């Protein structure tokens, strides 16, 4: 990592600090912010590889903090299986012949997520539909994860539509993001994109991510949550637009 230009190191450090801050404030957003900002200066495959350790540690932390792991896992295991299979099938999208389109795909994913968040779309999934819909949503999330390195679409809107209470939703998000991170790491390793150097850089990125997360938790008690949430989605909308239209052209 120290062989990288100083400007790129600074970009990575600031990116993971900001991503951790968002995670600390609202409980999600670390992979979205990190991959989105890193996508401005490197291919999404490299950005996703840098994300692995910070995402895994912070999401396992979030998952372990809740009291209902068994209940959440029993309800959502079909979705987790779909995420794993979808990521495995879609890994070629990140590193194969379609990799040149990954930046625009990332931009579109961020745009969709930002628009859904700003619109405050309220949906409810009928209990009878969960058994067949969960694996489909999981598989779609896995493909998007493999193609862009972002875990949130359509997983987050779907989990929010299940009617979980606050603690259950936070733990469900932690479970979904943990499984997505592990599946993405396995896919990257299979493609030879998670070798010693990049793994070490990912571990180093954990430091600014945790610093940002602690700062975000501190700010959460001092900044109106809805104000921050709106600024977050507006920022994603702008970033997604830049990536989707081709920032390098």
């Amino acid at each position: 990592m120290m062989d990288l230009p100083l400007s790129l190191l600074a970009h990575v450090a600031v990116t993971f600090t900001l991503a951790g801050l968002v995670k600390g404030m609202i409980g999600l957003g670390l992979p979205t912010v990190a991959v989105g900002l890193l996508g401005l200066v490197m291919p999404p495959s490299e950005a996703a590889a840098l994300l692995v350790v910070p995402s895994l540690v912070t999401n396992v932390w979030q998952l372990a903090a809740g009291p209902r792991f068994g209940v959440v896992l029993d309800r959502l295991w079909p979705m987790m299986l779909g995420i794993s299979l979808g990521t495995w099938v879609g890994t070629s999208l990140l590193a194969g012949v379609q990799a040149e389109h990954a930046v625009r795909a990332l931009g579109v994913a961020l745009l969709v997520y930002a628009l859904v968040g700003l619109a405050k779309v309220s949906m409810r999934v009928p209990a009878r539909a969960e058994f067949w819909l969960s694996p489909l949503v999981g598989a779609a999330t896995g493909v998007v994860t493999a193609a862009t390195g972002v875990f949130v679409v359509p997983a987050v809107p779907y989990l929010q539509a299940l009617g979980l209470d606050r603690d259950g939703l936070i733990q469900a998000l932690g479970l979904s993001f943990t499984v997505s991170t592990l599946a993405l790491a396995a896919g990257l390793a299979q493609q030879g994109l998670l070798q010693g150097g990049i793994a070490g850089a990912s571990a180093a990125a954990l430091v600014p991510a945790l610093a940002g997360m602690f700062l975000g938790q501190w700010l959460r008690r001092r900044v109106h949550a809805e104000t921050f949430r709106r600024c977050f989605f507006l920022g994603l909308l702008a970033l997604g637009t830049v990536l989707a239209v081709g920032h390098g052209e």
Side-chain angles (χ1 to χ4, degrees), residues 50-113:
L50 282 175
L51 173 69
V52 168
V53 174
S55 178
L56 183 61
V57 171
T58 56
N59 285 311
V60 168
W61 181 357
Q62 180 174 331
L63 176 61
R68 305 174 186 173
F69 174 71
V71 175
V72 170
L73 180 61
D74 185 61
R75 183 174 182 178
L76 295 178
W77 70 263
M79 180 181 173
M80 301 305 108
L81 180 60
I83 288 173
S84 301
L85 292 176
T87 304
W88 178 69
V89 171
T91 298
S92 60
L93 296 175
L94 191 64
V97 295
Q98 295 178 323
E100 67 272 14
H101 304 303
V103 170
R104 284 190 174 86
L106 172 58
V108 171
L110 296 184
L111 280 172
V112 171
Y113 182 42

Side-chain angles (χ1 to χ4, degrees), residues 169-182:
L169 177 60
I170 289 175
Q171 196 158 31
L173 290 170
L175 175 62
S176 177
F177 296 159
T178 298
V179 171
S180 293
T181 303
L182 291 172

